[in-house]
Each structure stands twice: as C-alpha cells, then as structure tokens.
Amino acid sequence: MSLSICIIGGGMVGAAAAVALAKQGHTIQLVENNPIDENKVLSSEHIDIRVSALNLFSENLLSELGAWQHIRKSRSAEYKRLSVQDYQKSPLIFNNQEIGQSHLGHIIENSVIQASIWQEFSHHNISVLSDLGKLEGILHHNDIETLCFESQTLEADLVVVADGARSHTRELLGIGTTGWQYQQACMGVLIKLDAEQQDITWQEFQPTGPVAFLPMQAPYANLIWYHHEDTLRKLADGDKNNLKDAIVTNYPELPGDFEILKTAVFPLTRQHANQYSKSRCVLVGDAAHAINPLAGQGVNLGFKDVAQLVKSLSKEANIAKALKDYEQKRRIPNLAMMSMMDACYFAFSNEITPLKALRQGAIAGLSKLSPIKSQMLKYAVGHYL
C-alpha cells in the first residue's frame, strides 16, 4: 500500500523518516522552512558545534538509508571506549571488546548527519516544500489530513510530525505534554585540540553537575558543561581566556592544549507527549520526547522511532492500528530511557553522603561484574529496539 505522506520538519529525524518511508514505496512531501544545500554543507570547512553520539543502531539505520556512505566521506570520529566516573574517583570504563564490536559509536556534527540524509532525497520520491508559510490548521475528514498553510493547502494520508521539542504542529493537534525544566543549563564548547585522534568519550559527575568530553574528528572536540545557567552564560559571553582557565580548573586533564572556537548555552528540558498520535498524525523524535542530553541518546531515540514507524506501517494495513502499534512499541522504551537519565543525573549530581557512598560502590562493583556491565553497554549502543 502506497501512502501520500507529509513530513513536517527536515532535521535529522524528519529527514530519516522521509527516506525510510520513501524506500517503503510511499510518496513523500517534506515541509522544511529552512532547507539546506546538502552538497554545500558536506563540502564546507565550517565545524558545527552541535554534535550527536550515534550508537550502533543509528549507524545501521543510516547505512540502510544510504546516508552512512556520505558521512564517512565527510567528518566523523569513531569511539571505542566510554568512561564514567564520580568526581576524582576511579572511572568505570566500557570498551568495544566487551561486546565483540569494532567500536561503540561515532561523534558526528548534526549538520553532517542531516546533509548526508538529504543527499539520498534525489534517489527517492521526495519533494521538499519550503515556501508555504506558517501552518495554521490541520483538518481530518474521510481519512485524509488537510494541512492549511498560509500560502497553500496540502492533503496527505499520513502526517509525520518531526518539528522538534517546541513543535507548533503538536500544539495545533492539541496534544499536551508533561515534563519540566531542570535547574541547570548545559554549555557546549567547540575546541581545537593539540592532540592525536581520541577514541574515548567520557563524563565526570561533579557536585555542580556533569562535565564531558566528546572527541570529534581531529583536531576538534566538544566539551559539555552542566551548571547554573547564569554561571555558564557569564563564562560564554566573557573573555575566552577566562573560560579556558575555568575549563582547566574544573575539568579532568584534557589530552593536550586547546583553543576555544565557539560556545553555546541551552536550557535542559524533559518533555513527553501525552500521546504519540491523533487521527492520522504521528509524532517522532523530539516532538514526542525531549530528553536530558546526559548520554547523548536524544537522536538515537528519534532514529528508533523512525525504524519502528516503518515496521508498524509495513505490518498493519490499517493506519490507525499501525500508529497504535508504533506508540505501544516506543512509548515505554522512550520513557524508560528518560527516567534512567534522570536517575543518573540526580544520583551523581549531588553530595548527599549516603547516596555518594552508594554510587561509588556501584561503580566499583560494576567494574567487577562483566556480564551486567556488558548488558548495560549493549543497551547503550542500541542493540535492542
């Protein structure tokens, strides 16, 4: 059964949904107000401060979509080790050999991921629409969704909503969310690192919040710093030398000297849609769930949404049943990952004495429990849908 599908949002997850559904034989109209020139992005020397830690599941999906070949020709950094440690304590280190894999994942610029997927549009029945104006309403009649934009009206058998955590489309559908703002913000710092290519990404949990190191393709890397928003904005807006001194003071030792290139500060939000679909409209990615970026699982969850939506549509001829199956398969895993990230965030980002002793004991114990450690790692790299 070939469907006419309209996808709202052409970011990483929306673009992946477009290609995946087009490969299934559907006709795709992708609405994106800010279309990209994918060839220009992939040939540019501009380094994006926004990065994602793609796990093995996401890599496999992008390979199936044909996008991975474009990523490999651009910029990416393979990591084989993942380290987690409590402040100034011995780290818990996971490595690829524990699960029989050549690596654990890749750190890749978001713009490179998006452009690599867009490269595949020309091979499929995908039309990109960018001049429709604001979406003003969605009408449902006789199993057809009518999308009323300022300058044009579109009709579709199915609408995939992928316009992010602040989804205007979700709001028009009347789908509410539950969640909260965290008391901290997060700062990303793009650096040029005087060191050879790194194959380890790490997080250290400090009393004021986590700090992390994400190796990009040398000579670049991304530093993540959780702290009070006022503190981070003062550092980001101030002199780069002062920021560098603060990083040297507060971070574990980096593998070399570094130059600060860019900074970005953003609030931390947890948000979960009260339902994933309404009529013939379905939410994917951040439109359905915004997660604490603690372990970089956001886009990986979005790609799992895409894979499950394709699977549900392929096994159910009835769209209503397919969307129900999709939500049943994705809602609990997404909620579980969100809750797991919150539990780690709370457990590690404080100095309550009993909890501090418990977490230090847990890290020490896991180091000795190889089967449990391996299962945790398999889950992290996406072995399970």
Side-chain angles (χ1 to χ4, degrees), residues 185-216:
C186 182
M187 177 167 64
V189 184
L190 176 64
I191 63 172
K192 189 173 183 180
L193 186 64
D194 183 18
E196 61 184 12
Q197 182 67 55
Q198 301 295 298
D199 72 348
I200 183 170
T201 179
W202 51 255
Q203 292 186 345
E204 180 179 272
F205 291 89
Q206 300 182 355
T208 55
V211 296
F213 172 80
L214 286 72
M216 300 166 66

Side-chain angles (χ1 to χ4, degrees), residues 55-102:
N55 62 24
L56 298 181
F57 178 93
S58 295
E59 289 181 20
N60 289 336
L61 175 66
L62 293 176
S63 293
E64 293 172 4
L65 300 184
W68 193 250
Q69 59 179 324
H70 306 303
I71 289 176
R72 295 308 298 264
K73 292 177 182 178
S74 185
R75 293 183 298 271
S76 64
E78 180 182 276
Y79 65 93
K80 298 182 178 182
R81 294 176 294 156
L82 169 64
S83 173
V84 180
Q85 69 184 72
D86 200 7
Y87 183 51
Q88 296 182 338
K89 300 296 181 181
S90 298
L92 174 64
I93 300 177
F94 300 87
N95 68 71
N96 58 300
Q97 296 176 348
E98 294 178 68
I99 56 172
Q101 297 291 331
S102 62

Side-chain angles (χ1 to χ4, degrees), residues 12 41 44-52 75 107-115 189-191 216 220-222 261-262 264:
M12 295 182 288
V41 171
S44 173
E45 295 182 0
H46 171 79
I47 307 300
D48 191 354
I49 191 173
R50 302 166 304 156
V51 299
S52 293
R75 293 183 298 271
I107 309 294
I108 309 170
E109 298 158 62
N110 288 2
S111 59
V112 169
I113 299 171
Q114 180 190 19
V189 184
L190 176 64
I191 63 172
M216 300 166 66
Y220 303 102
N222 199 296
L261 302 180
K262 300 176 188 176

Side-chain angles (χ1 to χ4, degrees), residues 143-163:
D143 292 335
I144 295 294
E145 299 296 326
T146 301
L147 295 95
C148 304
F149 292 90
E150 287 179 318
S151 63
Q152 188 175 335
T153 296
L154 301 179
E155 291 187 345
D157 299 315
L158 175 67
V159 177
V160 178
V161 181
D163 54 350

